[in-house]
Amino acid sequence: MKGLILAGGLGTRLRPLTHTGPKQLIPIANKPVLFYVIEDLVEAGITDIGIIVGYTEERINIVKNTVGDGSRWDAKITYIEQDAPRGIAHAVSCAREFMGDEPFVVYLGDNILKSGIGNFVNEFKNLGAEAGILLSPVPDPQKYGVAQLDDKGVVIDVKEKPKIPKSDLALIGVYMFTPRIFKVIETLKPSWRGEYEITDAIRSIILSKKYKVISHIVTDWWDDTGTAEAILHANHLILSDLKYKIEGAIEEGAKLIGNIELGQDSIIKNGTVVRGPVIIGKNCKIGPGYIGPYTSIGDNTTIIGGEVESSIIIGDTRIEFDKKIVDSLIGRYTSIVSKNSLPKGYRFIIGENSEIQL
Ligand code: G1P
């Protein structure tokens, strides 16, 4: 089986972080979401992987440079370009040549699943199905593709973002298909949001009643990291399993509580309290100050004074701030500094679509 990861999309709900790069590269616990996806595929025995990228040279190159040729996972990665964001089904159709005659897994590059996809891939192979979907109960099904099952648990319908959902079972962004899906996609019309919906393609297979569509309900957590809240939530979930690992230095007088990962050439200074789970990358200077639970700090970051809790600092950032930063998602090359100069007041130099709560 081959794999297909979708890493196009404009990530509009995550601007300004997605102005230059795709949302799939935003790190969770200091690792891009896309890397978790590749690892899940490789763990399920799928090492021939296509990645759909778009739509500008800059966005495409940033994915290629970050992910590379796949050799670090013993996988082979092929990049496939999509000319514009026209929906998941359109993105899948771009991979027609790459897939040839093989069945394949489609994995949306912004989805993250705690327990991977190994069981599901095996089930699909063993049952000889035409399509396979993963489902999870959600409190707000109208925001997702939603499946309806009969009393034996067989999928009888799926609908994209229904106003009145027939169940609370959302389609997770992991699908399995045989190459027959390409013919089905050819028959689709754009939906009300102007996209070729993969849910419509699956619906057409179900309604034809000729082929088997299997479903699998995921009981462990999963997250669609499409918003800042969802990313912080995923960060929380991933950090809950963090192990204690110290490669950097800890000065005498620094207090570490709970599970903390500290990267090479990083230092936690005297007078700092770090309460885990907290991950700190390489070449960081932390403290004096307080770093609270569920915080991820990327490489080359300096934090002096103040408190940071339950936040993601992507990296290459300087924070010299005497207040508390909470539930924040802070992009690269950022500086947050308290100064006592006059006139007194807050000073901002921030990009479009930024959000600040004081
Ligand atoms: C997409 C799919 C939807 C699915 C969701 C999972 O939604 O269209 O069926 O439930 O991913 O993450 P979108 O992110 O395009 O709104």
Side-chain angles (χ1 to χ4, degrees):
M1 261 180 117
K2 289 187 179 177
L4 185 68
I5 301 173
L6 271 48
L10 288 171
T12 48
R13 287 174 297 171
L14 279 164
R15 284 176 179 163
L17 292 173
T18 47
H19 273 312
T20 44
K23 59 179 168 183
Q24 294 83 3
L25 292 185
I26 293 177
I28 292 181
N30 288 359
K31 183 160 75 174
V33 182
L34 192 54
F35 287 18
Y36 292 93
V37 171
I38 297 172
E39 285 167 11
D40 275 0
L41 287 169
V42 171
E43 216 178 275
I46 297 167
T47 53
D48 197 355
I49 300 168
I51 302 186
I52 302 284
V53 287
Y55 314 93
T56 61
E57 211 46 29
E58 190 189 14
R59 296 176 78 86
I60 293 170
N61 286 338
I62 197 171
V63 180
K64 288 185 177 170
N65 294 337
T66 311
V67 177
D69 63 0
S71 47
R72 87 175 86 161
W73 296 279
D74 284 328
K76 189 174 135 238
I77 288 182
T78 305
Y79 294 95
I80 303 162
E81 292 182 21
Q82 187 188 18
D83 59 345
R86 301 174 201 274
I88 298 173
H90 177 263
V92 171
S93 71
C94 296
R96 192 172 193 156
E97 223 175 281
F98 171 73
M99 292 307 169
D101 297 327
E102 295 227 20
F104 56 96
V105 179
V106 174
Y107 204 137
L108 305 188
D110 60 353
N111 272 236
I112 190 160
L113 272 76
K114 181 178 166 72
S115 41
I117 58 167
N119 289 342
F120 181 49
V121 170
N122 287 336
E123 210 173 296
F124 180 77
K125 281 187 191 157
N126 296 339
L127 293 175
E130 203 56 40
I133 51 177
L134 280 186
L135 304 173
S136 171
V138 293
D140 45 3
Q142 57 287 349
K143 289 189 187 156
Y144 299 91
V146 175
Q148 192 184 352
L149 309 186
D150 69 10
D151 48 13
K152 294 193 193 78
V154 176
V155 200
I156 49 172
D157 204 358
V158 289
K159 203 153 194 288
E160 187 61 30
K161 302 192 175 46
K163 287 212 173 70
I164 304 166
K166 292 268 173 60
S167 83
D168 65 348
L169 292 173
L171 275 88
I172 290 181
V174 179
Y175 315 85
M176 317 227 149
F177 298 111
T178 69
R180 200 186 308 272
I181 192 72
F182 296 118
K183 282 235 168 317
V184 179
I185 292 173
E186 275 175 18
T187 66
L188 297 181
K189 301 240 166 9
S191 65
W192 59 269
R193 59 171 177 167
E195 294 193 2
Y196 292 93
E197 306 284 356
I198 199 66
T199 314
D200 289 346
I202 298 165
R203 179 159 212 255
S204 145
I205 300 177
I206 296 169
L207 298 185
S208 80
K209 296 206 160 98
K210 277 199 241 155
Y211 306 105
K212 191 171 192 168
V213 176
I214 61 159
S215 69
H216 184 103
I217 297 177
V218 170
T219 45
D220 266 324
W221 64 257
W222 74 285
D223 214 326
D224 162 349
T225 58
T227 61
E229 286 67 34
I231 288 180
L232 290 169
H233 183 233
N235 188 55
H236 201 109
L237 296 169
I238 296 274
L239 286 183
S240 302
D241 292 329
L242 190 78
K243 302 270 174 317
Y244 187 83
K245 183 178 169 199
I246 303 293
E247 290 179 324
I250 299 161
E251 278 189 4
E252 222 183 286
K255 194 168 163 197
L256 273 60
I257 307 150
N259 284 335
I260 289 147
E261 189 177 315
L262 181 68
Q264 283 167 7
D265 301 318
S266 286
I267 183 162
I268 299 179
K269 310 278 276 183
N270 178 14
T272 309
V273 175
V274 184
R275 189 185 293 271
V278 167
I279 184 168
I280 301 167
K282 292 182 198 147
N283 197 32
C284 294
K285 284 196 191 67
I286 308 294
Y290 171 75
I291 311 293
Y294 304 106
T295 302
S296 295
I297 300 170
D299 296 349
N300 312 313
T301 297
T302 297
I303 300 180
I304 302 171
E307 302 177 30
V308 181
E309 194 170 280
S310 189
S311 295
I312 297 179
I313 294 155
I314 295 183
D316 298 285
T317 282
R318 184 174 183 87
I319 297 177
E320 214 176 324
F321 189 56
D322 55 10
K323 307 254 173 350
K324 185 164 185 169
I325 294 173
V326 292
D327 300 331
S328 298
L329 183 48
I330 298 172
R332 227 175 257 290
Y333 311 116
T334 304
S335 161
I336 303 175
V337 181
S338 323
K339 276 199 177 147
N340 287 326
S341 54
L342 290 171
K344 273 205 181 323
Y346 300 109
R347 179 170 183 258
F348 304 111
I349 300 172
I350 48 178
E352 286 167 49
N353 308 100
S354 298
E355 189 187 316
I356 290 179
Q357 285 176 25
L358 296 171

